[in-house]
């Protein structure tokens, strides 16, 4: 952002605020940050938030979870959280069961973003500042990210859980739902469930997610194959025989790999890595079993146009949704791969503006 004409908020008053202002500026690459400046409004996003908590841990010896940056995105707010002891690791572990308040303030109807396959909803943080200042934004995170409790056995069980969480914030519709990747399938399933219960859905936005086509894989996933695919995609080398024999040992080495490199997930603890694996594999299982109902309304769709060979071979395209949508499908094409859709600031800005116009 161009901050040449910005009016800075008040200067830091305490040593903790001074230190946090300096760390904000360092991570965000700006000259100066005031005590009440918002991390995300200055260009921050979820991966930068992870780097920020790492620097806080190094400089202030404080165990600050990433969740705290979303709850209190200013130096003053984080300083208060540290002073009050509200940013402990146990609180962060429990947070996986809650809605993630990407922006809790605002008088408009909220937008609920459903998590992708990994279960975390941090990836949507970069969209928030493009959706209008009056729109509250929540991320629905997967159950099981804290390593406790049974994982949902079906999409119906998952949407029932999420519906209860959403109604705790917004008791009645119309509801506004969106989701990327696996989250797009969950958003569609949740929308049809809401309609079946007599509720209205004001927005259903699917970000590059597709129902199963005629050549789709439908059998249950083989866990070590799913794990291997993701480890290889992140550049981690391992022996396949060891992965099959002792998956936990390989994943713990993978955590060390994340911590030594400039990886976006390096703040995760060992138990987080193991829980994340279980959540991801279970979501792949649910994705392959998913059979959509018909949504009575229009669909807003964001398409990543740079398809992989695998995607082209299975003919992934927006037309797969037409049998499951009674109304029109409006498409926003983005020249991006599926994986970069929510990591490139240019793409997020365009997607955010596109959604904001439909809100």
């Amino acid at each position: 952002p161009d901050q040449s004409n910005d009016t800075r908020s008040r200067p830091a008053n305490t040593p903790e605020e001074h230190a946090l202002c300096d760390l904000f500026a360092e991570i965000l690459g700006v000259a100066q940050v005031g005590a009440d400046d918002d991390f995300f409004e200055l260009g921050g996003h979820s991966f930068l938030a992870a780097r920020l908590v790492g620097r806080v841990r190094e400089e202030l010896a404080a165990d600050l979870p990433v969740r705290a940056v979303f709850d209190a995105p200013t130096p003053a707010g984080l300083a208060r959280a540290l002073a009050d002891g509200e940013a402990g690791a146990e609180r962060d572990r429990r947070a996986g069961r809650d809605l993630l308040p990407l922006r809790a303030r605002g008088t408009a109807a909220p937008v609920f973003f459903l998590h992708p396959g990994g279960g975390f909803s941090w990836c949507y943080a970069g969209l928030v500042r493009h959706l209008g200042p009056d729109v509250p934004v929540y991320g629905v995170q997967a159950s099981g990210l804290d390593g406790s409790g049974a994982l949902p056995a079906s999409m119906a069980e998952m949407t029932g859980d999420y519906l209860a969480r959403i109604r705790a914030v917004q008791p009645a519709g119309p509801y506004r739902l969106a989701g990327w990747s696996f989250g797009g399938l969950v958003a569609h399933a949740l929308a049809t469930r809401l309609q079946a219960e007599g509720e209205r859905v004001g927005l259903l936005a699917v970000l590059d997610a597709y129902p199963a086509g005629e050549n789709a894989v439908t059998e249950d996933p083989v866990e070590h194959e799913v794990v291997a695919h993701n480890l290889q995609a992140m550049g981690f080398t391992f022996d396949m025989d060891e992965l099959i024999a002792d998956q936990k040992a390989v994943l713990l080495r993978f955590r060390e790999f994340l911590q030594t490199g400039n990886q976006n997930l390096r703040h995760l603890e060992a138990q987080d890595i193991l829980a994340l694996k279980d959540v991801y594999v279970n979501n792949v299982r649910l994705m392959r079993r998913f059979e959509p109902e018909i949504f009575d309304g229009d669909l807003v769709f964001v398409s990543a146009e740079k398809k992989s060979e695998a995607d082209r071979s299975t003919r992934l395209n927006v037309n797969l949704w037409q049998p499951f949508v009674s109304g029109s499908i409006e498409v926003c094409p983005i020249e991006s791969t599926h994986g970069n859709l929510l990591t490139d600031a240019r793409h997020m800005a365009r997607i955010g503006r596109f959604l904001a116009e439909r809100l």
Side-chain angles (χ1 to χ4, degrees):
D2 178 8
Q3 298 166 1
S4 57
N5 296 321
D6 280 359
T7 300
R8 282 277 154 243
S9 69
R10 68 170 178 84
N13 290 330
T14 68
E16 292 79 14
E17 287 185 357
H18 277 287
L20 287 166
C21 285
D22 290 343
L23 291 176
F24 270 51
E26 172 192 322
I27 296 298
L28 295 170
V30 298
Q32 186 178 0
V33 173
D36 296 321
D37 286 337
D38 188 290
F39 182 78
F40 300 104
E41 290 177 1
L42 291 178
H45 51 73
S46 57
F47 294 150
L48 288 180
R51 296 176 194 170
L52 175 64
V53 300
R55 291 292 290 127
V56 170
R57 190 174 295 120
E58 293 170 1
E59 295 295 322
L60 303 180
D63 191 9
L64 187 73
V66 175
R67 164 68 180 263
V69 183
F70 292 98
D71 288 344
T74 67
L78 281 182
R80 287 192 297 271
L82 290 171
D84 295 342
E86 294 176 354
E90 181 61 29
R91 179 172 176 264
D92 191 40
R93 285 193 287 270
R94 293 195 303 267
R97 296 187 174 188
D98 302 330
L99 293 176
L100 180 65
L102 298 172
R103 180 170 61 202
R105 64 183 183 275
T107 57
V111 180
F112 298 95
F113 283 92
L114 284 304
H115 63 81
F120 292 106
S121 292
W122 305 336
C123 56
Y124 301 114
L127 297 175
V128 173
R129 64 182 176 275
H130 303 292
L131 298 181
D134 241 10
V135 181
V137 182
Y138 293 89
V140 181
Q141 303 213 113
S143 300
L145 289 174
D146 59 356
S148 68
L151 297 176
S154 66
M155 188 69 83
E157 184 179 332
M158 176 178 282
T159 55
D161 175 23
Y162 296 171
L163 183 55
R165 301 188 207 176
I166 288 172
R167 279 178 166 155
V169 172
Q170 184 186 355
Y175 292 96
R176 307 203 280 193
L177 308 171
W180 168 60
S181 196
F182 176 72
L185 304 182
V186 182
H188 186 277
L190 186 56
T192 57
R193 178 167 186 146
L194 281 164
Q195 289 184 335
E197 297 189 8
E199 294 284 4
R200 291 169 51 211
V201 177
L203 174 75
L204 173 58
V206 173
L207 281 58
D208 208 51
Y210 304 87
E214 59 183 24
N215 298 321
V217 178
T218 55
E219 65 266 19
D220 281 351
V222 178
E223 182 170 308
H224 70 263
E225 292 178 356
V226 174
V227 173
H229 175 78
N230 282 276
L231 297 183
Q232 291 164 351
M234 297 188 72
F236 179 65
T237 57
F238 58 94
D239 182 80
M240 192 67 175
D241 290 336
E242 183 188 3
L243 181 67
I244 295 172
D246 193 352
Q247 187 182 105
K248 182 176 181 180
V250 174
L251 289 174
L252 292 179
R253 282 210 315 279
F254 173 63
R255 177 177 176 261
E256 295 174 1
F257 164 77
L258 293 178
Q259 291 179 319
T260 56
N262 186 23
Q263 300 286 346
N264 295 318
L265 301 177
R266 66 182 184 273
H267 63 283
L268 295 178
E269 300 295 337
Q271 64 183 26
D272 299 325
I273 294 288
L274 297 174
L276 176 59
K277 178 266 298 182
D278 290 338
V279 167
Y280 187 90
V281 172
N282 190 63
N283 287 339
V284 172
R285 183 179 296 110
L286 298 187
M287 176 185 70
R288 293 183 179 182
R289 296 176 178 176
F290 178 54
E291 296 181 4
E293 304 290 335
I294 297 176
F295 174 68
D296 186 14
D298 300 331
L299 178 68
V300 172
F301 190 84
V302 174
S303 172
E305 296 292 281
K306 294 182 179 179
K307 303 295 185 191
S308 67
E309 287 296 332
D311 289 345
R312 284 195 289 269
S313 68
T314 54
R315 299 180 181 178
L316 282 187
N317 65 74
V318 69
N319 294 327
L320 292 172
W321 279 114
Q322 196 62 73
F324 308 108
V325 178
S326 70
S328 64
I329 300 178
E330 183 180 8
V331 180
C332 174
I334 304 288
E335 284 300 316
S336 169
T337 63
H338 177 80
N340 287 339
L341 203 59
L342 293 183
T343 59
D344 188 304
R346 297 166 301 171
H347 302 333
M348 287 190 288
R350 186 176 177 197
I351 295 168
R353 290 193 296 268
F354 175 73
L355 294 179
E357 291 168 0
R358 277 103 200 127
L359 293 177

